[in-house]
Amino acid sequence: MRSVIKYTCCLLCLIAAGLWIADRAFPLHDNSEAGAATVVLDRHGEPLRIFADHNGVWRYPVSIDQVSPRYIEALLTYEDRYFYQHPGVNPFSLLRASWQWIAEGRIISGGSTLTMQVARLHYPSQRSVSGKLQQILRALQLEWHLSKDQILTLYLNTAPFGGTIEGVQAASLQYLQKPASQLRFSEAALLAVLPQAPSRLRPDRHPKLAQQYRDKVLDRLLSFQVWSEESVTRAKQENIEVWPLSNPMLAPILSRRLKQSEAEKKVIRSTIDSGIQQNFSDQIKRYVARQAKGISAAALLVDNQNRQVVSYVGSADFLNAQRFGHVDMVTAMRSPGSTLKPFLYGLALDDSLIHSESLLADVPIVTGQYRPGNFSQGFSGPVSASSALQRSLNLPFVQLIQHYDSQRFANKLDHVGVPLKIPGGRANPAIILGGAGSSLEHLVTLYSSFANSGSVAPLKYSIAGGFEEAASVNESGQPTRQLMSPDAAWITWNALADIDPPDQFIDGYSRAHLPRIGWKTGTSWDYRDVWAVGVSKRYTLGVWLGKPDGSPMERTMGRVLAGPLLFQLYQLLEPETDTITKPEGIVEQLICWPDGRVVMSGDQACDQVRTAFTITQNTPRTLDPEFSKQSRFYSPQYNYLVDQQSGLRVTRECDIGSMKSQSDFVWPVAMEPWISKQWRRNVRIPPFDSKCKTILQTSALLRLHGINDQQVYHTNGLEVIDVDVRAEGSEGNLNWYLNGRLLEGAGNKQTLTLQGSQTYQLYVQSISGSSVQIEFSVL
């Protein structure tokens, strides 16, 4: 007995000495995650894209609790039943394997424990007696330093499964297209036996042999009563069917972006819904296939409740080089066209510059140095703020940003984390028409504020957790900043929601399944970009189309090209029955034009009465179309003197009889050509008395000769005609506009070159502010 104890103590001392020496000569290192591959998952744990490591190996770190218990049971029962009892080496298994090798002259069964297999995987050695002894020593060393669960985790992450696939997670994703947490009985048994001979048992190449070995594992599990007979029988009835090895590419551009931004993570769980992502990708690819060569598209869908990105389509076709499919057009800086107008509208509401029906001027301003035009032909004269927004008129918003201040508007967007890229760094009125850089990501971030009471928060692309189910995806956890009040946000969204859906649908749609959507389009200079962004209560969706290389497209508009795609994508979402709630502080009031304020008793400039949405019943006066920091609001009251006998206008310098003061309400001079004749100044205000010799006779109207209002010219459709026009009734330079385009020359004569059947609008304006506008047609 003493001898046994003596020899045992000596053996333990030798083992301890060996471990001491091994620790210093061969220190342990954990390379289970070194060079590990990266996998990007959707919100439910399904793979979106898989990236191999720099050696082309597919390996994804996984913990024990992220692997199905069925796999752990199958693995331990088949490979190492006494894993949690032995010290890293099972002497009985080694003796049995050695005896069989000696008796048969070949290896009949292995004697390696899981710990020894981990030692072999992490510290390779030659297949010899000395190599086996080194493996045993390494196994003892592992057991000395690591817990059983740590050793098992190492095996789960580095076991070979054929080719460049390592670890059970990579094998499950590649062969079964599912995470290892979702394995069925038959799948767990298959993956448990595969590392024994990964090349020979690959289920994608040798399914029948793989099924034989899988059934062998199932028999052992049944014999040891680990699994029930019913479970084993059903598992055996399943044929070996695996997916061909491939790399899922459902959200390739977002996956690439997440891999770069979260490089320290090997498993990245995105916020993407793979079902919606697949539907959006397919629809966009079909839509763009009908467009001209080089055109791509992008779409971004955000859940307004938590700011999580549900779908991210960075290009129309990732693998299409002709459409620059590798370029991420969600983040690309482009001209946003008119898509920023709703935010100026909302900020102006909060600043008490306008209400929803404030009178704005869609006319060129003589004193302005910046001369924008409209994408639509001609000018509309007096328009409401909401109508200007819905029709995306440029000139009223240039007027509005001059009153609000361009730099202040840019600073507001910068404050909420969505800065504009402004050439030269200094804002000017052109930014509201697309004269600054923005991105689809930034626009969707801003538009989501309409469904969030005016607050802006960064979009969220990933959530905590790996392959396990997320505890909650309902809270964004993102910092928010207020861009506008809830009242201004709703009034703006409501105006956008009154815009009719586009007519140019290729695949057709049903309005019955669409929620109430506030939407806006945009078209950049030279037709390089077209946009459409929509907001319902649940989602904010933005789309972009254009050529990633920056070259222009054929003449098109956001409503024509981007609008239909926006609504087609909305149709792919689950129907919404709810809508954005109107805040209690919004009140509908009757207001007057041209005054702009609420209808009151007594004398007031109230030629037109309109119903406006107002914030806390605030109804500011009409903004002065001729922008001046000294006179922000327009005063419609016009005071003058008349001769009491003749009733004609005079001044105090006139040597005439008795005078009296008189007043009337007038519209801004620039709007005169578009208002009813009975409201014009030459009707309401009497002309100057001819007896008043000291007054320059300026009562004459600006008149056009050579062409009449509503005149029709008949041609063969291809004929080019020249029409000579002369203006009278004003001195000094004139500005001539044909269909909103400023013509060259500032004299009183113009030659109009006309071609093609259409309706023309000719507008002439003098430096003194008098103007005339006519329409005529060529048929």
Side-chain angles (χ1 to χ4, degrees):
M1 184 66 180
R2 290 181 179 179
S3 298
V4 173
I5 295 174
K6 179 180 178 181
Y7 288 126
T8 302
C9 290
C10 290
L11 180 60
L12 291 175
C13 289
L14 288 173
I15 293 173
L19 288 174
W20 186 84
I21 294 171
D23 273 347
R24 280 146 184 80
F26 309 104
L28 289 176
H29 58 270
D30 179 8
N31 64 350
S32 61
E33 293 194 21
T38 303
V39 60
V40 181
L41 310 171
D42 79 345
R43 61 174 54 201
H44 304 298
E46 299 295 330
L48 295 175
R49 188 177 180 185
I50 301 173
F51 299 88
D53 69 2
H54 61 280
N55 292 320
V57 174
W58 306 97
R59 182 198 301 166
Y60 311 109
V62 69
S63 59
I64 295 177
D65 58 356
Q66 292 174 325
V67 177
S68 169
R70 296 167 181 169
Y71 175 77
I72 302 298
E73 291 169 351
L75 175 67
L76 296 182
T77 302
Y78 190 73
E79 288 285 355
D80 194 348
R81 291 177 58 208
Y82 301 103
F83 173 72
Y84 282 99
Q85 285 77 42
H86 62 64
V89 177
N90 189 334
F92 299 104
S93 297
L94 283 176
L95 288 173
R96 184 192 70 244
S98 300
W99 176 256
Q100 291 174 340
W101 175 53
I102 294 172
E104 300 292 335
R106 60 187 178 89
I107 298 175
I108 301 299
S109 63
S112 297
T113 62
L114 280 180
T115 309
M116 292 173 65
Q117 294 182 46
V118 170
R120 185 182 73 249
L121 292 170
H122 286 256
Y123 312 99
S125 59
Q126 295 180 350
R127 296 179 64 86
S128 62
V129 174
S130 62
K132 180 62 71 174
L133 291 175
Q134 182 181 340
Q135 188 182 122
I136 291 172
L137 190 60
R138 279 294 192 183
L140 295 173
Q141 189 182 20
L142 287 169
E143 293 279 352
W144 180 264
H145 289 281
L146 304 177
S147 68
K148 288 290 187 180
D149 284 351
Q150 288 175 316
I151 295 172
L152 180 58
T153 300
L154 288 174
Y155 179 87
L156 296 177
N157 283 287
T158 56
F161 283 86
T164 57
I165 301 174
E166 293 184 2
V168 66
Q169 189 69 277
S172 184
L173 289 172
Q174 288 287 350
Y175 291 125
L176 307 173
Q177 294 288 295
K178 63 170 62 176
S181 60
Q182 301 175 13
L183 296 175
R184 302 196 305 271
F185 287 104
S186 62
E187 296 167 338
L190 171 65
L191 295 185
V193 74
L194 191 52
Q196 274 201 352
S199 297
R200 194 161 56 94
L201 300 180
R202 275 185 57 166
D204 60 325
R205 295 180 179 177
H206 313 290
K208 291 185 179 180
L209 187 60
Q211 185 166 333
Q212 292 177 14
Y213 275 77
R214 180 205 67 181
D215 292 347
K216 184 179 177 181
V217 176
L218 291 171
D219 289 337
R220 181 170 295 187
L221 288 162
L222 178 60
S223 65
F224 287 113
Q225 298 182 348
V226 178
W227 290 352
S228 68
E229 183 176 358
E230 180 183 1
S231 298
V232 170
T233 301
R234 289 183 177 179
K236 283 187 174 183
Q237 291 173 349
E238 296 184 21
N239 294 325
I240 296 292
E241 293 183 1
V242 298
W243 293 82
L245 296 187
S246 62
N247 185 1
M249 298 283 280
L250 189 50
I253 291 180
L254 173 63
S255 299
R256 181 183 66 193
R257 177 178 175 181
L258 290 176
K259 182 179 182 293
Q260 294 170 348
S261 63
E262 303 185 29
E264 74 285 355
K265 295 182 180 180
K266 300 305 177 183
V267 177
I268 303 171
R269 191 189 193 100
S270 74
T271 58
I272 296 297
D273 184 306
S274 58
I276 296 176
Q277 177 74 17
Q278 185 68 66
N279 290 338
F280 274 29
S281 298
D282 292 345
Q283 181 64 27
I284 291 171
K285 188 174 182 179
R286 288 194 299 267
Y287 191 86
V288 172
R290 295 187 285 262
Q291 310 304 326
K293 179 182 178 181
I295 292 179
S296 186
L300 192 66
L301 178 69
V302 172
D303 189 325
N304 293 324
Q305 182 180 4
N306 47 38
R307 321 284 180 136
Q308 291 183 354
V309 174
V310 181
S311 179
Y312 187 116
V313 182
S315 67
D317 187 351
F318 183 69
L319 301 177
N320 190 329
Q322 290 185 337
R323 298 191 187 276
F324 305 92
H326 64 286
V327 180
D328 186 358
M329 298 311 300
V330 169
T331 59
M333 281 290 173
R334 311 285 286 202
S335 166
S338 297
T339 55
L340 296 177
K341 290 176 181 175
F343 306 104
L344 176 60
Y345 177 94
L347 291 171
L349 285 168
D350 277 334
D351 212 36
S352 297
L353 291 177
I354 60 170
H355 47 69
S356 69
E357 292 299 308
S358 285
L359 175 61
L360 297 177
D362 183 30
V363 298
I365 305 301
V366 174
T367 57
Q369 296 180 349
Y370 177 55
R371 297 185 182 276
N374 291 320
F375 272 109
S376 60
Q377 294 182 344
F379 307 106
S380 300
V383 293
S384 70
S386 293
S387 178
L389 176 62
Q390 292 161 353
R391 296 167 58 189
S392 197
L393 300 176
N394 289 341
L395 295 164
F397 276 90
V398 172
Q399 175 193 357
L400 193 56
I401 201 169
Q402 286 178 325
H403 283 282
Y404 188 82
D405 187 75
S406 304
Q407 190 61 50
R408 183 183 175 205
F409 176 73
N411 293 344
K412 280 283 189 179
L413 300 188
D414 196 1
H415 173 72
V416 297
V418 190
L420 297 175
K421 186 177 181 180
I422 303 174
R426 183 65 186 173
N428 59 65
I431 64 174
I432 201 60
L433 307 182
S438 190
S439 66
L440 183 60
E441 179 179 44
H442 283 175
L443 290 177
V444 170
T445 301
L446 286 173
Y447 273 82
S448 182
S449 67
F450 293 130
N452 285 282
S453 300
S455 70
V456 177
L459 303 184
K460 196 171 183 182
Y461 296 96
S462 62
I463 53 182
F467 290 93
E468 76 280 1
E469 290 298 320
S472 173
V473 293
N474 292 326
E475 297 298 330
S476 68
Q478 302 283 55
T480 62
R481 289 191 173 183
Q482 203 70 27
L483 176 61
M484 64 185 75
S485 69
D487 294 350
W490 185 89
I491 293 174
T492 306
W493 174 82
N494 185 67
L496 297 175
D498 284 341
I499 302 175
D500 290 332
D503 298 325
Q504 300 87 354
F505 277 88
I506 297 175
D507 294 335
Y509 75 102
S510 171
R511 295 192 186 188
H513 298 292
L514 290 174
R516 191 159 191 256
I517 301 169
W519 68 294
K520 182 74 181 72
T521 61
T523 306
S524 69
W525 177 81
D526 207 16
Y527 309 99
R528 298 173 188 270
D529 311 271
V530 292
W531 311 79
V533 189
V535 185
S536 65
K537 182 175 178 61
R538 177 71 187 277
Y539 294 111
T540 297
L541 171 61
V543 301
W544 167 91
L545 290 98
K547 295 184 178 181
D549 64 356
S551 59
M553 298 180 288
E554 293 183 4
R555 183 182 178 92
T556 187
M557 302 291 291
R559 182 178 179 87
V560 175
L561 187 58
L565 179 58
L566 177 83
F567 280 85
Q568 288 174 19
L569 294 179
Y570 258 112
Q571 270 210 295
L572 299 176
L573 302 173
E574 292 184 3
E576 295 181 50
T577 57
D578 205 358
T579 189
I580 300 175
T581 305
K582 182 174 73 172
E584 295 182 358
I586 296 175
V587 178
E588 288 188 84
Q589 292 185 281
L590 298 178
I591 61 95
C592 289
W593 274 11
D595 183 270
R597 293 175 295 179
V598 68
V599 173
M600 298 178 292
S601 59
D603 294 335
Q604 191 179 17
C606 208
D607 289 331
Q608 282 190 27
V609 176
R610 305 174 76 94
T611 303
F613 287 109
T614 64
I615 301 176
T616 62
Q617 303 185 34
N618 187 15
T619 56
R621 298 186 82 160
T622 296
L623 291 172
D624 193 338
E626 296 192 21
F627 170 70
S628 170
K629 293 183 178 180
Q630 288 73 34
S631 58
R632 169 170 286 185
F633 295 101
Y634 173 72
S635 177
Q637 183 170 332
Y638 188 83
N639 300 313
Y640 53 93
L641 295 174
V642 297
D643 178 19
Q644 287 189 352
Q645 292 184 349
S646 65
L648 299 177
R649 287 178 64 189
V650 294
T651 67
R652 297 191 184 280
E653 288 76 16
C654 293
D655 185 14
I656 206 164
S658 58
M659 308 176 190
K660 67 175 180 179
S661 296
Q662 199 163 295
S663 66
D664 213 325
F665 296 104
V666 294
W667 290 65
V669 173
M671 300 182 187
E672 285 272 311
W674 289 272
I675 61 176
S676 298
K677 291 184 179 179
Q678 68 268 25
W679 299 339
R680 295 179 182 176
R681 296 188 178 215
N682 67 315
V683 175
R684 285 188 168 167
I685 309 299
F688 279 101
D689 195 320
S690 59
K691 299 176 184 178
C692 196
K693 304 297 183 181
T694 61
I695 297 297
L696 180 66
Q697 300 300 305
T698 59
S699 59
L701 293 175
L702 188 63
R703 301 177 303 279
L704 295 179
H705 296 277
I707 193 170
N708 298 318
D709 190 31
Q710 303 303 317
Q711 187 166 342
V712 177
Y713 295 91
H714 294 275
T715 68
N716 60 9
L718 299 177
E719 181 183 355
V720 178
I721 60 174
D722 293 328
V723 178
D724 293 325
V725 184
R726 185 179 79 258
E728 292 183 352
S730 179
E731 297 183 355
N733 290 339
L734 300 175
N735 291 294
W736 296 74
Y737 296 88
L738 183 63
N739 284 353
R741 180 174 59 87
L742 181 64
L743 303 179
E744 294 183 1
N748 67 335
K749 294 181 180 180
Q750 277 284 351
T751 298
L752 307 179
T753 301
L754 311 175
Q755 182 179 20
S757 299
Q758 61 175 307
T759 298
Y760 290 89
Q761 181 192 85
L762 178 63
Y763 177 71
V764 185
Q765 190 178 49
S766 71
I767 59 173
S768 64
S770 60
S771 59
V772 61
Q773 178 260 330
I774 63 170
E775 288 188 0
F776 59 94
S777 300
V778 176
L779 301 180

